[in-house]
Amino acid sequence: MATAAHQVTPSEAAANPVPEAIVVRFAGDSGDGMQLTGGQFTLATALAGNDLATFPDFPAEIRAPQGTLFGVSAFQINFGSTAIETAGDAPDVLVAMNPAALKVNVEALKPGGLIIADEGEFTDRNLAKAKYDVNPLSDGSLSKWQLLSFNISQLTLDAVKPFGLGNKEALRCKNMWTLGLALWMFDRDRQPIVDWLKAKFAKKPELAEANIAALNAGHAYGETAEIGGDITQHSVPAAPVEPGLYRTVTGAESISLGLVAGAQLADLPMFFGGYPITPASAILHHLSRLKEFGVTTFQAEDEIAAVASALGASYAGSLGVTSSSGPGIALKTEAIGLAIMTELPLVIINSQRGGPSTGLPTKTEQSDLYQAVYGRNGDAPMPVIAARSPADAFDCAIEAVRIATQYMTPVMLLTDGYIANAAEPWKVPDMAGYAPFPVSFLTQAPESGFLPYGRDEKLARPWVKPGTPGLLHRIGGIEKAQGTGNIDYSPANHQAMTELRRDKVAGIDVPDQDVALGEASGRLAVVGWGSTFGPIHMAVRRARKQGLDVSHIHIRHIWPMPGNMGELLAGYDRILVPEMNTGQLKTVLRDQYLVDATPLNKVSGQPFRIAEIEAAIAACFDGIAGNEGGELPADRTQLPEPMSGHDDGHNKAGEGATSPQSA
C-alpha cells in the first residue's frame, strides 16, 4: 500500500484549527436503529476521552409508518476536548438515512455543515412520503451545506452478502455500516463495538459477524474511497478531566444507582413499585437488575397500585420508592396525600414529559412543577428536588432518600425526558465520602409513654414497624390527634396538625443556594432548575466573555427553598427565568420573594438552545438600558417584560405578556 507524509506548516495549522467540539446527529426511520447507533458512537467517544452530552429524540408511536415524517428518530451527540454542558445547538454533521429524516432535520444543520445521505432510500415512493416534489439530492436545494450521498443500502448488502442473510435482515445492518463510517470520520476505535456485537448476538454468531462486516465496510469506505471535498478525518483530543474511574450514565441509570446508594446509607432494604410509562420505565428496568443490593421491584397493574405498594413497604420498614411521569403522578396523588397524612417516608420520581394528558410522551418539558409543589388536595406540603443533569441525578436521589427518612415525609424528585434518556460522562464517586444517615426504628415504648405522632427536634414522628410489641397505633388518611394519632376531627387539632406538617417541611435542612457562575450580586441573574442547566450555563459563560454582568443560579431544592434565596435574588437588578413551561418557577419566585422575575418560556417538546438564552440575556440588558422587553422569534420562545405592581427595588416596567398563558 502506498503511503505519503506531509509536515503541516504553522500557517496550515492556523487555517484549519482542531475544533473544540463537534455536534453529530444521526436520523432515520424509527426502525433504522438510530438510537442504537448513537448509543454505540457515544460509547466509542467516551472511551476516546472526550467530554460529551447526548439527546435521543424519537417518536411516540411504537412503530410509525415507514418513511413518514412523524416516524423519524434522531440521536444527537455533542463531544469535544473541553467541558460539554449540552447536546449542542446546530449539528455540524447530519446523517440522514431517508428523505423524511433529511426533511425533518436539515434546517437545524449549521450553514456549511455536512449531510451524509443514503441515496439508495431516495426513491420516488419515499420522496412522496416525505412530501418532496423532487429529489433534494439533485435539485440544488441543499447548496448551502456540504453533501455526501451514496448508496449505503447497496454497500451494506454487498458487505453482508457472504453471510446468506435475506434482503430485509441484511438491510438491518445499515446502521452498523453508517456507524463504521462515523467511527472513521472521528478517529474512533471499532473494537468496543465489535465486542458488544459479539456479546449481543452470542446465540446467533452469524448475525454478529454480518454486523461486524458492515461496521468494517463503512470504516473501510472512509479510509479508501475518494469522497473528496473537505470531507476528511477529524481527531478531537481528549478533554482534561480529574483522575478517576469514569463511565457514561443516563439519567435513569444515575437515579437507580443513587436510590440504591441512598438506601445503603440509610441502612434500609428498598422496595420499588412501578408501572410502565414513558420516560420513567427505564428506572424500573435498571433497578430490577440490582437485587443483590436488597432491592425488590414490583411491576403493578396500575399507577395507584404501584404507589400504594411502595407506601405499604415504607409502613413495613423498607424504603418505598415509586416513579412515573406527569399523567401517572396525577393518578398517584391521593396516595401521596396519604403518605403526607401518615407521615411515612416515600420517594417519588417524576420524569416529566410534554403534557397535559397523554401529551407528548417522548418529548421533554418542565411543566409539572406546580403539580409537585402544589398539586394535592388540602394543605399538603412536600419536599421537591430537581436534578440538573444525568450525572447530578445520582446525588439528588441520595438527597431525596435522606430527607424522606430523616423527616418522615414523601419527597418528589423531578427529572424530565431529556435527563432520563440523555447520557454524559460520570466520575464514579468514592462512597466513603458520603456521610451515612442510618434509620432508627422505635422498638420499645419510652418511659414517658408511646406517642405515635410525638415529634423529635426535626418534627419527625417515630418510625415503627407493624407488629412491634407494645407499639400498636392507628394508621390511615383521617386526621390524626396530636401525639396519640387517634382520629380527631376537632377544629383546633386540625389547625395544629396542618401547621405541624407545614413547619416540618419548611424546617428541612437544605444547603444555602450557591451561584453556579458569576457573582453573588449584579445586573442580571439567570435562574433555572432542572435540565436547563447546560444551555443556561453556556449562554451565561458566553455573555460574561462579552463583558456582560450576568450570573447563573441553578436551584436544586425547589421546596423548601434554601434559606438565603431571598437575600441572594435581591442582590440583582433583574431576574431571568428560562423554563420549558409557561412560567412555573417564575410564579413560585414571585410568590415567595416578590421579585420581578422575567419568564423565558419554551414548550415545543425540545430543550433550550444556547442561542435562545443568549438572545434573552441580550434583550434583558437592552431592557436595563431603557428598551424594555424583546421577543425571541426562534421556536416561539417567549420573553415578556417584567411584572409591575409592587415596589421591591427592582425594575418597575409594566408587564407585556405574549400569550394568555404567560405570566
PDB file of all heavy atoms in Angstrom, residues 258-273:
ATOM      1  N   GLY A 258     -28.322   5.987  42.444  1.00  0.00           N
ATOM      2  CA  GLY A 258     -28.438   6.883  43.587  1.00  0.00           C
ATOM      3  C   GLY A 258     -29.440   6.389  44.615  1.00  0.00           C
ATOM      4  O   GLY A 258     -29.221   6.514  45.833  1.00  0.00           O
ATOM      5  N   LEU A 259     -30.548   5.816  44.159  1.00  0.00           N
ATOM      6  CA  LEU A 259     -31.531   5.258  45.092  1.00  0.00           C
ATOM      7  C   LEU A 259     -30.942   4.102  45.887  1.00  0.00           C
ATOM      8  O   LEU A 259     -31.144   3.993  47.104  1.00  0.00           O
ATOM      9  CB  LEU A 259     -32.772   4.789  44.323  1.00  0.00           C
ATOM     10  CG  LEU A 259     -33.670   5.883  43.745  1.00  0.00           C
ATOM     11  CD1 LEU A 259     -34.703   5.275  42.808  1.00  0.00           C
ATOM     12  CD2 LEU A 259     -34.363   6.680  44.846  1.00  0.00           C
ATOM     13  N   VAL A 260     -30.196   3.243  45.186  1.00  0.00           N
ATOM     14  CA  VAL A 260     -29.557   2.114  45.877  1.00  0.00           C
ATOM     15  C   VAL A 260     -28.536   2.631  46.883  1.00  0.00           C
ATOM     16  O   VAL A 260     -28.477   2.169  48.031  1.00  0.00           O
ATOM     17  CB  VAL A 260     -28.899   1.162  44.856  1.00  0.00           C
ATOM     18  CG1 VAL A 260     -28.060   0.110  45.573  1.00  0.00           C
ATOM     19  CG2 VAL A 260     -29.960   0.485  43.997  1.00  0.00           C
ATOM     20  N   ALA A 261     -27.735   3.617  46.475  1.00  0.00           N
ATOM     21  CA  ALA A 261     -26.742   4.190  47.388  1.00  0.00           C
ATOM     22  C   ALA A 261     -27.423   4.840  48.590  1.00  0.00           C
ATOM     23  O   ALA A 261     -26.973   4.686  49.736  1.00  0.00           O
ATOM     24  CB  ALA A 261     -25.881   5.208  46.647  1.00  0.00           C
ATOM     25  N   GLY A 262     -28.513   5.560  48.346  1.00  0.00           N
ATOM     26  CA  GLY A 262     -29.248   6.185  49.443  1.00  0.00           C
ATOM     27  C   GLY A 262     -29.798   5.163  50.420  1.00  0.00           C
ATOM     28  O   GLY A 262     -29.727   5.352  51.647  1.00  0.00           O
ATOM     29  N   ALA A 263     -30.346   4.071  49.890  1.00  0.00           N
ATOM     30  CA  ALA A 263     -30.869   3.017  50.764  1.00  0.00           C
ATOM     31  C   ALA A 263     -29.754   2.399  51.596  1.00  0.00           C
ATOM     32  O   ALA A 263     -29.942   2.083  52.780  1.00  0.00           O
ATOM     33  CB  ALA A 263     -31.577   1.954  49.926  1.00  0.00           C
ATOM     34  N   GLN A 264     -28.570   2.227  50.990  1.00  0.00           N
ATOM     35  CA  GLN A 264     -27.434   1.677  51.732  1.00  0.00           C
ATOM     36  C   GLN A 264     -26.991   2.644  52.832  1.00  0.00           C
ATOM     37  O   GLN A 264     -26.675   2.228  53.951  1.00  0.00           O
ATOM     38  CB  GLN A 264     -26.272   1.414  50.772  1.00  0.00           C
ATOM     39  CG  GLN A 264     -26.558   0.370  49.706  1.00  0.00           C
ATOM     40  CD  GLN A 264     -26.521  -1.044  50.233  1.00  0.00           C
ATOM     41  OE1 GLN A 264     -25.592  -1.418  50.939  1.00  0.00           O
ATOM     42  NE2 GLN A 264     -27.530  -1.829  49.923  1.00  0.00           N
ATOM     43  N   LEU A 265     -26.964   3.947  52.515  1.00  0.00           N
ATOM     44  CA  LEU A 265     -26.568   4.941  53.517  1.00  0.00           C
ATOM     45  C   LEU A 265     -27.576   5.019  54.658  1.00  0.00           C
ATOM     46  O   LEU A 265     -27.225   5.343  55.793  1.00  0.00           O
ATOM     47  CB  LEU A 265     -26.404   6.312  52.858  1.00  0.00           C
ATOM     48  CG  LEU A 265     -25.214   6.452  51.895  1.00  0.00           C
ATOM     49  CD1 LEU A 265     -25.322   7.746  51.095  1.00  0.00           C
ATOM     50  CD2 LEU A 265     -23.890   6.410  52.648  1.00  0.00           C
ATOM     51  N   ALA A 266     -28.846   4.737  54.346  1.00  0.00           N
ATOM     52  CA  ALA A 266     -29.893   4.722  55.384  1.00  0.00           C
ATOM     53  C   ALA A 266     -30.000   3.370  56.069  1.00  0.00           C
ATOM     54  O   ALA A 266     -30.768   3.227  57.029  1.00  0.00           O
ATOM     55  CB  ALA A 266     -31.242   5.088  54.762  1.00  0.00           C
ATOM     56  N   ASP A 267     -29.251   2.380  55.564  1.00  0.00           N
ATOM     57  CA  ASP A 267     -29.271   1.017  56.111  1.00  0.00           C
ATOM     58  C   ASP A 267     -30.673   0.417  56.036  1.00  0.00           C
ATOM     59  O   ASP A 267     -31.196  -0.128  57.012  1.00  0.00           O
ATOM     60  CB  ASP A 267     -28.752   1.009  57.550  1.00  0.00           C
ATOM     61  CG  ASP A 267     -28.413  -0.399  58.040  1.00  0.00           C
ATOM     62  OD1 ASP A 267     -28.179  -1.282  57.182  1.00  0.00           O
ATOM     63  OD2 ASP A 267     -28.382  -0.627  59.261  1.00  0.00           O
ATOM     64  N   LEU A 268     -31.268   0.539  54.841  1.00  0.00           N
ATOM     65  CA  LEU A 268     -32.631   0.041  54.631  1.00  0.00           C
ATOM     66  C   LEU A 268     -32.695  -0.829  53.380  1.00  0.00           C
ATOM     67  O   LEU A 268     -31.991  -0.564  52.395  1.00  0.00           O
ATOM     68  CB  LEU A 268     -33.606   1.207  54.434  1.00  0.00           C
ATOM     69  CG  LEU A 268     -33.963   2.081  55.633  1.00  0.00           C
ATOM     70  CD1 LEU A 268     -34.782   3.276  55.163  1.00  0.00           C
ATOM     71  CD2 LEU A 268     -34.743   1.266  56.660  1.00  0.00           C
ATOM     72  N   PRO A 269     -33.544  -1.858  53.385  1.00  0.00           N
ATOM     73  CA  PRO A 269     -33.891  -2.502  52.112  1.00  0.00           C
ATOM     74  C   PRO A 269     -34.784  -1.564  51.308  1.00  0.00           C
ATOM     75  O   PRO A 269     -35.430  -0.670  51.873  1.00  0.00           O
ATOM     76  CB  PRO A 269     -34.641  -3.763  52.546  1.00  0.00           C
ATOM     77  CG  PRO A 269     -35.234  -3.395  53.868  1.00  0.00           C
ATOM     78  CD  PRO A 269     -34.268  -2.446  54.522  1.00  0.00           C
ATOM     79  N   MET A 270     -34.802  -1.735  49.992  1.00  0.00           N
ATOM     80  CA  MET A 270     -35.587  -0.837  49.155  1.00  0.00           C
ATOM     81  C   MET A 270     -36.647  -1.621  48.400  1.00  0.00           C
ATOM     82  O   MET A 270     -36.383  -2.713  47.884  1.00  0.00           O
ATOM     83  CB  MET A 270     -34.681  -0.106  48.162  1.00  0.00           C
ATOM     84  CG  MET A 270     -35.409   0.973  47.374  1.00  0.00           C
ATOM     85  SD  MET A 270     -34.273   1.917  46.339  1.00  0.00           S
ATOM     86  CE  MET A 270     -34.227   0.912  44.888  1.00  0.00           C
ATOM     87  N   PHE A 271     -37.842  -1.044  48.346  1.00  0.00           N
ATOM     88  CA  PHE A 271     -38.936  -1.612  47.552  1.00  0.00           C
ATOM     89  C   PHE A 271     -39.339  -0.584  46.503  1.00  0.00           C
ATOM     90  O   PHE A 271     -39.645   0.565  46.837  1.00  0.00           O
ATOM     91  CB  PHE A 271     -40.144  -1.946  48.431  1.00  0.00           C
ATOM     92  CG  PHE A 271     -41.323  -2.472  47.676  1.00  0.00           C
ATOM     93  CD1 PHE A 271     -41.501  -3.834  47.492  1.00  0.00           C
ATOM     94  CD2 PHE A 271     -42.266  -1.607  47.118  1.00  0.00           C
ATOM     95  CE1 PHE A 271     -42.594  -4.322  46.777  1.00  0.00           C
ATOM     96  CE2 PHE A 271     -43.354  -2.080  46.403  1.00  0.00           C
ATOM     97  CZ  PHE A 271     -43.516  -3.445  46.230  1.00  0.00           C
ATOM     98  N   PHE A 272     -39.332  -1.001  45.251  1.00  0.00           N
ATOM     99  CA  PHE A 272     -39.741  -0.111  44.162  1.00  0.00           C
ATOM    100  C   PHE A 272     -41.020  -0.643  43.542  1.00  0.00           C
ATOM    101  O   PHE A 272     -41.057  -1.758  43.011  1.00  0.00           O
ATOM    102  CB  PHE A 272     -38.647  -0.023  43.098  1.00  0.00           C
ATOM    103  CG  PHE A 272     -38.999   0.888  41.943  1.00  0.00           C
ATOM    104  CD1 PHE A 272     -38.667   2.232  41.985  1.00  0.00           C
ATOM    105  CD2 PHE A 272     -39.679   0.410  40.833  1.00  0.00           C
ATOM    106  CE1 PHE A 272     -38.995   3.080  40.940  1.00  0.00           C
ATOM    107  CE2 PHE A 272     -40.016   1.247  39.788  1.00  0.00           C
ATOM    108  CZ  PHE A 272     -39.674   2.591  39.835  1.00  0.00           C
ATOM    109  N   GLY A 273     -42.087   0.149  43.633  1.00  0.00           N
ATOM    110  CA  GLY A 273     -43.348  -0.195  42.987  1.00  0.00           C
ATOM    111  C   GLY A 273     -43.568   0.717  41.802  1.00  0.00           C
ATOM    112  O   GLY A 273     -43.665   1.934  41.962  1.00  0.00           O
TER     113      GLY A 273
END
